Amino acid sequence: QVQLVESGGGLVQAGGSLRLSCAASGRTLHIGWFRQAPGKEREFVAAITWSGDATYYADSVKGRFTMSRDNAKNTAYLQMNSLQPEDTAVYYCAANNMWYGTGWSRRHDMDYWGKGTLVNVSL
């Protein structure tokens, strides 16, 4: 069993930056970030392989968000820059044994999920 704990969410002004952390216990797996805004369906944000040698981003965050990981700490990170109000959502960390490649944008079947952390971007 893999347990995931997100942290780093909070209130930030538009144009600012925030870094989310996903601390994992158990096996080292591919990590993805998803988000769900009020009244909207969950959407894919970014993913990184278990080794950190490849990443994939949703078009909406490409160029603004960056994923990384430190396997010595068993933690994955999501650096969010140039935040906009439309980025406001609960952000969920997920772990998966299979790398979906470009399929991350449409596949939400993950082996493990965290409980989420709220990101609120104000004008």
Side-chain angles (χ1 to χ4, degrees), residues 11 13 15 24 33 35 59 84 86 94 111-112 118:
L11 178 64
Q13 191 171 342
W33 284 98
R35 66 187 183 186
D59 290 340
Q84 303 298 316
E86 54 264 36
D111 295 327
Y112 306 96
L118 177 62

Side-chain angles (χ1 to χ4, degrees), residues 8-30:
L11 178 64
V12 65
Q13 191 171 342
S17 299
L18 207 60
R19 185 182 67 184
L20 304 183
S21 298
C22 175
S25 62
R27 294 157 52 223
T28 301
L29 302 174
H30 311 305

Side-chain angles (χ1 to χ4, degrees), residues 6-73:
E6 304 97 330
S7 62
L11 178 64
V12 65
Q13 191 171 342
S17 299
L18 207 60
R19 185 182 67 184
L20 304 183
S21 298
C22 175
S25 62
R27 294 157 52 223
T28 301
L29 302 174
H30 311 305
I31 297 294
W33 284 98
F34 298 79
R35 66 187 183 186
Q36 187 167 25
K40 299 183 64 178
E41 293 187 354
R42 183 176 58 201
E43 65 175 344
F44 168 77
V45 177
I48 189 169
T49 61
W50 72 270
S51 62
D53 64 346
T55 55
Y56 182 71
Y57 300 94
D59 290 340
S60 59
V61 305
K62 191 174 298 183
R64 299 189 298 121
F65 292 8
T66 303
M67 270 205 79
S68 62
R69 68 188 303 164
D70 185 346
N71 285 351
K73 299 180 179 179

Side-chain angles (χ1 to χ4, degrees), residues 2-7 20-24 30-35 42 46 67 74-77 90-96 110-117:
V2 173
Q3 293 182 323
L4 306 171
V5 179
E6 304 97 330
S7 62
L20 304 183
S21 298
C22 175
H30 311 305
I31 297 294
W33 284 98
F34 298 79
R35 66 187 183 186
R42 183 176 58 201
M67 270 205 79
N74 208 8
T75 301
Y77 304 95
V90 176
Y91 283 70
Y92 298 92
C93 177
N96 204 56
M110 303 291 141
D111 295 327
Y112 306 96
W113 289 92
K115 295 182 178 180
T117 184

